[in-house]
Amino acid sequence: MLQSRSGGARRGTAAAKSAPMSIGAVLNLLRDEFPEVTISKIRFLESEGLVEPQRTPSGYRKFTAADVERLSRVLRLQRDHYLPLRVIKEQLDALDRGEEVALPGPARPPEVIDPFDAPEGDRASAAPAHHGTDGPAGAESPRAARVGRAELLAAAEAEEEQLAEWESYGLIRPGGDGGYDAEAVAIARIVADLGRHGLEPRHLRVVKASAEREAGLVEQVVAPLRRHRNPQTRAHAEATARELATLAVRLHAALVQSALKARLR
């Protein structure tokens, strides 16, 4: 059955008694045991349904002691067992139903790879994938997930000339072995769909430039963690990169929708 180790969040919870807490107060409690947690991380876990704080009439979050304990458990399962959020949520839901949940055996730190080399498959991959069957949607290694040129064209329903043009604009790049990863396949499909609406690769250069700037921002945040000697800290850098990438995509989508709404009024 899931057990909570004694830690900063537990001590802080007792001190906080049962009074509702702001997200800043929760952050201070959690940082005793989880020094690298951020407000962005707490909000991300909320968006993934791992915790559901109350809201004041003005929209401010108010967390209970039970919310803090729940967040502590989520962070502990990520840190100590490298479980993806999808699996953690399933376990928490089972606990809420009164079921007993057995923890997996000790896990070794995952192999540190570039966060954008692994197949997405599951947004819950904000947690680093580990070696086993509990990785994000059973993700395979990047090498195993690569496809050839013919497979990419078939997946995107595109012609060789189109792919050559996409590559000339840097929208898609083959790997050193000439194969393409899962992200390249996804990009090819999207670019092909946009082309059917009349958007050509030259129109998408601004989108690519924006994505590269966003990736640069993420790299600035996680670079100090990735240089750390502790394998768990480096693994945390990959989880943070995935989380920030998800948030950046959400922000980009929201900004585009907002801009369109203003233009189409």
Side-chain angles (χ1 to χ4, degrees):
M1 189 169 178
L2 288 176
Q3 298 291 331
S4 294
R5 295 188 321 194
S6 60
R10 177 173 292 276
R11 293 194 299 271
T13 300
K17 300 179 181 178
S18 59
M21 291 168 274
S22 68
I23 193 169
V26 172
L27 178 66
N28 290 334
L29 295 179
L30 292 173
R31 275 187 167 169
D32 190 18
E33 183 177 353
F34 310 99
E36 293 166 344
V37 73
T38 63
I39 285 180
S40 173
K41 176 71 171 183
I42 296 172
R43 288 174 176 161
F44 179 78
L45 294 177
E46 179 190 355
S47 72
E48 294 297 309
L50 276 300
V51 65
E52 297 179 2
Q54 299 174 354
R55 294 275 187 162
T56 67
S58 55
Y60 288 99
R61 297 171 176 82
K62 288 298 179 181
F63 295 81
T64 64
D67 291 330
V68 179
E69 291 294 341
R70 191 176 179 92
L71 286 168
S72 299
R73 178 169 286 166
V74 170
L75 295 170
R76 211 169 282 128
L77 287 171
Q78 278 193 307
R79 181 192 64 193
D80 299 342
H81 298 276
Y82 306 101
L83 296 181
L85 294 183
R86 169 179 51 83
V87 175
I88 294 175
K89 189 173 188 304
E90 290 172 357
Q91 293 196 355
L92 292 177
D93 290 344
L95 285 174
D96 291 340
R97 294 191 297 268
E99 302 173 10
E100 290 192 0
V101 178
L103 282 174
R108 62 174 178 169
E111 179 183 357
V112 178
I113 60 175
D114 189 280
F116 304 108
D117 277 346
E120 281 291 332
D122 184 356
R123 199 172 65 198
S125 60
H130 63 285
H131 300 282
T133 59
D134 287 332
E140 299 175 271
S141 69
R143 184 175 298 277
R146 300 182 81 82
V147 301
R149 197 172 186 86
E151 290 84 358
L152 179 85
L153 291 171
E157 299 180 2
E159 301 294 335
E160 175 67 37
E161 294 77 10
Q162 291 175 287
L163 178 54
E165 187 178 16
W166 299 342
E167 290 178 336
S168 70
Y169 280 94
L171 297 172
I172 294 177
R173 293 190 181 94
D177 59 356
Y180 299 86
D181 59 20
E183 283 71 29
V185 175
I187 292 170
R189 286 172 171 163
I190 296 170
V191 172
D193 286 341
L194 289 171
R196 296 181 186 106
H197 288 277
L199 290 175
E200 300 177 8
R202 60 188 176 87
H203 299 137
L204 303 179
R205 287 180 295 185
V206 63
V207 179
K208 181 177 183 294
S210 175
E212 290 177 345
R213 287 195 297 269
E214 291 170 9
L217 289 175
V218 173
E219 177 61 23
Q220 287 179 29
V221 173
V222 303
L225 298 176
R226 296 187 71 181
R227 291 194 295 266
H228 205 281
R229 295 178 61 184
N230 187 326
Q232 290 189 353
T233 301
R234 296 200 304 272
H236 177 69
E238 310 309 323
T240 301
R242 288 187 174 93
E243 175 190 337
L244 291 175
T246 299
L247 292 171
V249 169
R250 290 179 181 175
L251 175 61
H252 183 85
L255 289 172
V256 170
Q257 292 288 351
S258 178
L260 281 174
K261 186 181 294 184
R263 290 170 180 265
L264 297 177
R265 282 176 182 170

